[in-house]
Amino acid sequence: MDPPLSGSTSAPDPPRREDRLDSWKEIAGYLNRSVRTLYRWEKDEGLPVHRHQHKELGSVFAYKSELDAWVSARSPQQDFQPPSDETSPAPHAFLTVVLALAAAAIVIGVSAYLVASRPQPDSAQGKTPIAGLELISTFAGSHRWPSLSPDGRMLTFISDASGTPQVWVKNLGGGEPIQITFGDLPALRPRWSAHGDRIIYSMRGGGIWSVAALGGNPRRIVENGWNADPSPDGQRLIFERAGQVLTASVDGSEVERLSGLQQTFIPYYGDAWPTYSPDGKWIAVFLGEEGRYGDYWVMPSAGGTPRRLTTDFEEGGAPTWTPDGKFLVFPSARAGSGNLWRVSVAGGVPEALTTGPGDDLDPAVSPDGRTLLFANVKRTWSLVVHDVKSGLRRTLVEKRTPLVLPTYSPDGRRIALAGKNARGDTHLFVINADGSNLTQVTDGAGELNIMPRWGTDGETLYFYQVRPGQTFRSISVSGNASREIAPWSFRRQRGAEVDPRGRTAIYSAIDQGYLQHSRARDLQTGQETTLPFALYEHRFSPDGQSIAGESRDGELVLCKISTAVCRPLTPKDDNGVTGLAWSADGRQLFFLRPTTARVFGELTSVTIEGGETKTYGPIGPFQHRFQMSMDVSPRDEIVFASCREGSHELWMAKLR
């Protein structure tokens, strides 16, 4: 359990039973609004509605005290309009079109609503790409990975309504969802088989499985792999394993590597999401060329040369094909936020399908090509300071756009971090340690700058630039242009750290995703040498005499620079070490051990003599494991950037 926030010494009193409203109808009556308006307020404005997590799906409740506080907190512009708003479209910045509220047959047997938004005409057709929007997630749980059966009548998806995310199915004609897989390992990305009789899915850390469409005993078909997609003829699977894209017979035999896809294309920090075209002749993949940043490609399913479809060099996700095989629908942050796009497989400029708050992901197109399903999630990033002595935490700043990888200045008065600006570009920012004066440092249009580290002068930031070119650079926080230090990419020359004198930079040499050795570069001459040790991460001690880092075996290692002698401070650990930082006096090292929760890290310290470690509890959550990071101030306060997600919701729209 997280420590209480700064200024809070006890949990609030639980609401009284008479304070509770136990249905949408009761909540609507209390607020004098329709249920449809409540759906909108919950999604767009954070109406405090709670959902029961048990088998009786669809039940909700709310507390009058929380509703009153929410109403009081709304600005005058978010006024309670008279009931006439029930007869006009609800404003919604989610899609790029204006949706007319029409009398339409409810496709699924649950409450749904239409949402209006900004117009964006299709320049070629004079039509909007989206004709309507309906909420599917009106039952309990957080939902992802929608997939429609070959006849378009059944929906499968992942839900955590019973606790651990598992595979569920639902008849689109009506009825409640049915859970068809069970267990302790989370299920991922369910896909219908070609004949619609089985569902193929992955389990995190547990391989690829198959289960009957209405449930039964699942069977594992691939022991080591994930993100499987069955071919349209039902004969083959394509999936990922350890940085490779592989194919196999539908029973998991005859595993072969997909020829023509070079190892250097495989994502380093993310997934490739291989997906068959409707005729089975092509495969679409997302290829991360610099960490999670990359583009979408297509290639023959029998192997061959990949062909690039996008040139965004941005974060991506799982794509899907339109049934005619002419378009690829994909999630991308190419315009700043994560939304859905459509691009012709023959080539051309991608067309926006969605826009607005939150991230749209996991697209699926119905067999008739008329319906688009996808998931949406809203995230909040917070810069948090944790006092290791008192256990109290305080939030410095909170935003709906990413804040990641914070690091203290040498005097502890400022914090540097990476985040997105108003244009959607990733830049470096500096903020005072009290949370005031958030200031953008880099500002080049189209740039992607990450992983800031302070120089000992407290004025210089060292960082990696991913776009427009891959380089290691420095910049003054007071202004002026950045300058190149070395032609390094953070993928191949990872974790560069400059020594306290500003003369030498040390980095981890990575080849095909594997640590080769540590190297040092003289910043005046540019000469590089290979060091007699190999470490992930390099953290110079305050006096510059030692380097701490992580070994290939997940140990925390301390190396004396003068002798190049290294000794482990912690035992080997498969979870490894991340977020390494020195205490101000140079006598301790703080670090994070990733936990089984995947996006939390256990805050831990050990003295430079080694021995017993001390734990302070988990910090997080983080959006991705590679963003699991923190730093230590001269006062031994821990700063980290957390990312909290709302529930993933499934949405359905008419697609033109």
Side-chain angles (χ1 to χ4, degrees), residues 8 29 47 101 131 198 237 289 313 365 371 472 478 505 596 628 650:
S8 175
L47 181 71
L101 185 61
R198 302 194 69 82
L237 293 174
E289 298 174 71
F313 209 55
V365 179
T371 303
F472 183 63
S478 300
T596 54
M628 194 174 291
L650 299 184

Side-chain angles (χ1 to χ4, degrees), residues 350-429:
E351 171 192 30
L353 296 181
T354 67
T355 189
D359 287 341
D360 305 326
L361 60 163
D362 310 340
V365 179
S366 63
D368 62 9
R370 297 177 180 177
T371 303
L372 172 68
L373 291 91
F374 59 94
N376 173 265
V377 61
K378 291 182 177 65
R379 299 184 175 95
T380 301
W381 284 264
S382 303
L383 194 62
V384 181
V385 172
H386 173 87
D387 188 314
V388 297
K389 296 177 182 178
S390 66
L392 297 178
R393 293 182 180 178
R394 66 182 189 275
T395 298
L396 301 184
V397 65
E398 190 172 86
K399 295 176 69 69
R400 294 300 293 267
T401 53
L403 300 171
V404 294
L405 307 171
T407 178
Y408 275 109
S409 61
D411 61 9
R413 295 180 179 179
R414 291 182 290 184
I415 299 167
L417 66 156
K420 287 196 174 186
N421 66 4
R423 295 192 303 262
D425 295 331
T426 300
H427 281 288
L428 306 186
F429 293 78

Side-chain angles (χ1 to χ4, degrees), residues 92-416:
H92 185 45
F94 194 89
L95 295 180
T96 59
V97 296
V98 173
L99 308 177
L101 185 61
I106 297 179
V107 181
I108 55 177
V110 295
S111 298
Y113 66 92
L114 299 178
V115 183
S117 83
R118 298 184 297 273
Q120 180 174 329
D122 184 315
S123 59
Q125 303 293 331
K127 298 179 180 179
T128 55
I130 298 293
L133 185 69
E134 297 182 46
L135 176 67
I136 297 177
S137 293
T138 57
F139 34 82
S142 181
H143 312 133
R144 285 200 64 177
W145 305 119
S147 179
L148 285 167
S149 59
D151 62 9
R153 296 180 180 179
M154 296 287 292
L155 171 71
T156 185
F157 58 96
I158 297 296
S159 173
D160 65 357
S162 63
T164 302
Q166 295 295 328
V167 181
W168 295 61
V169 294
K170 187 185 188 310
N171 190 317
L172 289 180
E176 296 293 340
I178 301 171
Q179 182 177 351
I180 63 171
T181 68
F182 303 83
D184 297 328
L185 293 178
L188 306 167
R189 201 193 188 195
R191 314 290 285 178
W192 290 89
S193 66
H195 303 296
D197 58 337
R198 302 194 69 82
I199 294 172
I200 310 298
Y201 64 100
S202 304
M203 288 201 299
R204 182 171 292 130
I208 299 168
W209 294 70
S210 172
V211 66
L214 294 180
N217 292 324
R219 66 173 186 266
R220 184 160 61 182
I221 52 180
V222 175
E223 183 174 358
N224 182 11
W226 57 90
N227 287 340
D229 189 49
S231 63
D233 63 7
Q235 300 301 307
R236 303 287 292 176
L237 293 174
I238 190 162
F239 61 95
E240 299 181 57
R241 174 193 293 169
Q244 297 181 346
V245 175
L246 307 171
T247 65
S249 294
V250 72
D251 62 0
S253 63
E254 301 178 5
V255 176
E256 300 175 357
R257 180 177 173 180
L258 185 64
S259 63
L261 192 60
Q262 299 299 317
Q263 179 78 4
T264 53
F265 285 126
I266 299 300
Y268 184 62
Y269 284 145
D271 292 324
W273 308 110
T275 306
Y276 277 107
S277 64
D279 60 8
K281 295 180 179 180
W282 298 89
I283 290 170
V285 290
F286 177 80
L287 301 178
E289 298 174 71
E290 192 71 12
R292 297 184 68 87
Y293 305 106
D295 282 291
Y296 292 91
W297 300 64
V298 294
M299 63 180 298
S301 58
T305 303
R307 177 169 56 87
R308 187 192 294 265
L309 285 186
T310 65
T311 56
D312 301 328
F313 209 55
E314 268 292 353
E315 290 191 63
T320 192
W321 297 75
T322 54
D324 58 10
K326 294 181 178 180
F327 293 91
L328 195 70
V329 177
F330 61 94
S332 175
R334 68 189 314 269
S337 58
N339 298 121
L340 297 183
W341 298 76
R342 176 172 60 185
V343 65
S344 170
V345 178
V349 178
E351 171 192 30
L353 296 181
T354 67
T355 189
D359 287 341
D360 305 326
L361 60 163
D362 310 340
V365 179
S366 63
D368 62 9
R370 297 177 180 177
T371 303
L372 172 68
L373 291 91
F374 59 94
N376 173 265
V377 61
K378 291 182 177 65
R379 299 184 175 95
T380 301
W381 284 264
S382 303
L383 194 62
V384 181
V385 172
H386 173 87
D387 188 314
V388 297
K389 296 177 182 178
S390 66
L392 297 178
R393 293 182 180 178
R394 66 182 189 275
T395 298
L396 301 184
V397 65
E398 190 172 86
K399 295 176 69 69
R400 294 300 293 267
T401 53
L403 300 171
V404 294
L405 307 171
T407 178
Y408 275 109
S409 61
D411 61 9
R413 295 180 179 179
R414 291 182 290 184
I415 299 167

Side-chain angles (χ1 to χ4, degrees), residues 530-547:
T530 299
L531 300 175
F533 50 79
L535 297 177
Y536 293 108
E537 294 197 64
H538 299 89
R539 296 291 181 264
F540 284 96
S541 59
D543 61 10
Q545 301 300 308
S546 301
I547 295 174

